[in-house]
Amino acid sequence: MNILFFLTPKATCSYLEEDDTLRQALERMEQCGYSALPILRKDGTYCGTLTEGDLLWALKKLCVMDIKQTENHNIMEIAHRRDNSAVSVTTNIEDLVTKATDQNFVPVIDDRQAFIGIVTRKAILQYCLKNFFVHTRQEAAV
């Protein structure tokens, strides 16, 4: 099986760009409802992950008490607790699942290192539930 089966393409992903401000990051996270977003460089390559926790600690460290002040700070200025590791589009399923055990989503890059989308842990689990556990329940019922 190819990992592209699980891919949420870049065109339908929420992501940040490296020159976004803290305010833009806060608003994008609020709008999409995700607790972490990939960060892309201007050339389309993946360069990290920003989490709600990263934003919270940055607001505390920067003593930002007014939303207007968040426009003066770039997301690359703040510490990222952990950047989700990316995988190549040619990565095998076992390696993808291994990464997904530690990350909510796995960024996927092509041969030119360009970000092409993400694979969510949810997509993998839904596939497993549908294809493995449903059969087990049906067999037990017989």
Side-chain angles (χ1 to χ4, degrees):
M1 174 177 278
N2 189 313
I3 70 169
L4 292 177
F5 177 79
F6 299 106
L7 187 75
T8 300
K10 178 182 177 182
T12 60
C13 285
S14 292
Y15 58 88
L16 300 166
E17 293 183 348
E18 66 181 336
D19 61 349
D20 284 347
T21 65
L22 291 181
R23 182 172 183 162
Q24 289 170 312
L26 286 164
E27 289 174 351
R28 183 127 345 106
M29 281 189 176
E30 179 183 29
Q31 176 186 26
C32 70
Y34 297 127
S35 61
L37 292 174
I39 304 169
L40 306 184
R41 291 186 183 94
K42 285 292 183 195
D43 65 2
T45 57
Y46 170 74
C47 66
T49 302
L50 188 71
T51 67
E52 286 177 335
D54 297 336
L55 290 171
L56 178 64
W57 291 115
L59 294 173
K60 179 185 180 280
K61 183 179 179 182
L62 297 169
C63 297
V64 175
M65 298 298 167
D66 182 334
I67 193 71
K68 195 83 169 138
Q69 292 174 314
T70 62
E71 295 171 4
N72 301 324
H73 298 281
N74 180 282
I75 61 171
M76 299 309 283
E77 292 175 32
I78 64 174
H80 301 165
R81 186 177 68 87
R82 180 172 54 144
D83 289 321
N84 290 6
S85 300
V87 297
S88 167
V89 70
T90 59
T91 297
N92 65 48
I93 295 296
E94 293 81 14
D95 291 340
L96 174 68
V97 171
T98 299
K99 292 260 189 229
T101 61
D102 294 325
Q103 303 174 181
N104 289 344
F105 67 88
V106 180
V108 181
I109 57 175
D110 67 12
D111 295 339
R112 297 169 298 142
Q113 306 304 306
F115 176 83
I116 61 168
I118 63 171
V119 173
T120 63
R121 184 186 302 156
K122 180 179 179 178
I124 295 169
L125 289 173
Q126 284 177 331
Y127 174 83
C128 291
L129 184 63
K130 179 181 174 187
N131 291 287
F132 299 120
F133 298 112
V134 170
H135 297 303
T136 304
R137 279 192 231 137
Q138 289 172 348
E139 291 169 4
V142 173

